[in-house]
Amino acid sequence: MDFLNSLNHQQKAAVTAPDGAVLVLAGPGSGKTRVLTHRIAYLIASKQVNPYHILAVTFTNKAARVMESRVFDLLGSEQRGMMLGTFHSVCARILRREAKYLGYTQDFSIYDEDDQQALVKRALKEMNVDDKAFRPASMLASISRAKNEMLTPEKIEVKGYRDQVLQRVYKRYQELLLSCNALDFDDLLVVTARLLKEFPEINNAYSQRFEYILVDEFQDTNTPQYTLLKSLSKKHGNIFVVGDEDQSIYRWRGADYHNVLRFEKDFPDCTKILLEQNYRSPQIILDAASAIIDRNRNRTAKKLFTDRGSGER
């Protein structure tokens, strides 16, 4: 447990927070990855949690590798059995085991963008729709946006002819994916969310397994990801999320910083901790940034400070 000595007061409060829902709002440069990895180490070393019962998710393979490496440095091989990875990789692992329930086989393919566009083009051709007037890339982007909002073809709001075409193409695109035993990148999230919703016994099995769920960059979660987290934390309710509304950057793929507000509403008894000490910048930079971001609504005010001095203008 000596690793706790390297943490500042706020970081230590987060790492040793009680069971239940925990919302850590981490200002930029405040050591959120350190908090996440030390929280995992704390659960295993202090609370004697079996790594098999821990799920940790982040957004990039690089971030997942960094987290895994840091936990290993803290604990050695004791973290083996933990499920740690990106949202998409975790969902892919679940679907490899359970895809049969939704009509796929375990060896399903994951289509890249070229494969997806080719399938959309095929759907357009089958419908005698000009792919120059309705470009496959544009159609695919609209389908992706719909999936990130968990909208099926039938739920797309039809305001004009393009929406009618999109609705038909989206439906046929999904049929073609299934016939090819394939999923696209968005489907990894949406289909897993659908699996957990439609098959309570599967949801119960995974929510029973994952006693502790930890989430990195929570402000960048979209609707399917938030739905997955709620489903998987249903049994134990031990969900530890780290994020910052001020740092949401993935709006184009459906990320919604309002999930931070939803978290507080859905978990009203959550423990809320602010990380405000910055280790990167002088105070003048923090003050300038704060003067701008403080004008935003729907955010938690933070007072960023540093030991790096005031800095030059």
Side-chain angles (χ1 to χ4, degrees):
M1 295 296 293
D2 290 344
F3 57 76
L4 293 179
N5 296 332
S6 65
L7 305 174
N8 67 37
H9 175 72
Q10 291 174 320
Q11 291 171 339
K12 188 173 182 179
V15 168
T16 60
D19 283 359
V22 181
L23 173 61
V24 180
L25 295 178
S30 62
K32 63 179 178 56
T33 304
R34 171 185 286 259
V35 164
L36 269 170
T37 54
H38 280 65
R39 174 68 171 182
I40 294 170
Y42 174 77
L43 292 175
I44 296 171
S46 177
K47 297 181 71 68
Q48 303 298 307
V49 177
N50 187 328
Y52 178 78
H53 295 300
I54 296 175
L55 168 65
V57 287
T58 185
F59 278 88
T60 66
N61 290 320
K62 180 180 179 181
R65 288 193 296 269
V66 169
M67 285 176 64
E68 188 172 32
S69 174
R70 292 192 185 183
V71 173
F72 182 84
D73 289 342
L74 291 170
L75 294 179
S77 61
E78 293 181 49
Q79 87 283 4
R80 289 179 183 173
M82 176 176 59
M83 190 176 287
L84 188 158
T86 65
F87 276 96
H88 293 86
S89 68
V90 167
C91 287
R93 290 170 68 177
I94 292 174
L95 290 175
R96 291 292 179 198
R97 300 171 187 164
E98 319 294 352
K100 61 184 178 181
Y101 289 93
L102 295 174
Y104 299 88
T105 64
Q106 292 181 326
D107 61 345
F108 62 82
S109 301
I110 300 173
Y111 275 9
D112 62 19
E113 190 169 348
D114 289 339
D115 295 326
Q116 294 168 43
Q117 286 198 34
L119 220 55
V120 170
K121 194 169 184 177
R122 177 178 164 186
L124 289 166
K125 185 176 181 181
E126 287 181 5
M127 297 174 184
N128 295 315
V129 175
D130 184 2
D131 64 9
K132 292 182 180 177
F134 296 91
R135 296 190 177 277
S138 176
M139 287 281 103
L140 186 60
S142 295
I143 291 171
S144 180
R145 282 194 294 272
K147 289 185 178 183
N148 285 330
E149 295 175 13
M150 296 190 74
L151 296 176
T152 60
E154 297 75 22
K155 290 184 179 179
I156 288 180
E157 185 178 2
V158 177
K159 296 181 179 179
Y161 180 61
R162 185 185 185 280
D163 294 330
Q164 294 177 8
V165 172
L166 173 63
Q167 201 173 49
R168 292 165 54 211
V169 170
Y170 181 5
K171 182 178 180 181
R172 183 55 183 153
Y173 171 72
Q174 289 304 116
E175 293 171 348
L176 290 171
L177 278 172
L178 182 59
S179 69
C180 296
N181 192 38
L183 299 167
D184 65 20
F185 207 53
D186 296 315
D187 279 337
L188 293 175
L189 303 175
V190 176
V191 171
T192 305
R194 179 184 152 206
L195 174 79
L196 298 178
K197 179 180 179 180
E198 295 182 7
F199 298 90
E201 67 277 16
I202 297 177
N203 190 356
N204 289 337
Y206 283 98
S207 62
Q208 177 70 37
R209 172 185 170 179
F210 298 129
E211 295 179 13
Y212 291 88
I213 298 174
L214 301 97
V215 188
D216 188 19
E217 304 288 9
F218 182 67
Q219 78 281 348
D220 289 325
T221 53
N222 59 22
T223 299
Q225 288 161 339
Y226 187 71
T227 301
L228 284 165
L229 293 171
K230 282 187 66 180
S231 295
L232 291 173
S233 62
K234 181 179 179 182
K235 178 68 176 178
H236 299 286
N238 296 321
I239 180 167
F240 183 96
V241 303
V242 181
D244 182 12
E245 312 102 314
D246 300 339
Q247 299 181 66
S248 183
I249 62 173
Y250 289 117
R251 183 64 180 170
W252 55 271
R253 71 174 183 200
D256 188 356
Y257 73 91
H258 288 97
N259 283 343
V260 174
L261 302 177
R262 293 189 184 101
F263 186 89
E264 294 188 74
K265 181 179 179 181
D266 292 337
F267 300 92
D269 296 326
C270 73
T271 299
K272 186 174 179 179
I273 298 169
L274 305 185
L275 300 185
E276 298 169 299
Q277 183 170 356
N278 178 285
Y279 289 91
R280 291 185 193 150
S281 305
Q283 192 65 46
I284 194 169
I285 296 294
L286 303 181
D287 291 344
S290 296
I292 296 170
I293 204 69
D294 281 347
R295 295 173 180 267
N296 281 5
R297 300 175 181 176
N298 299 318
R299 61 181 292 272
T300 300
K302 291 174 287 293
K303 187 171 180 59
L304 301 179
F305 67 93
T306 183
D307 291 336
R308 295 174 60 90
S310 60
E312 297 180 7
R313 290 181 62 82

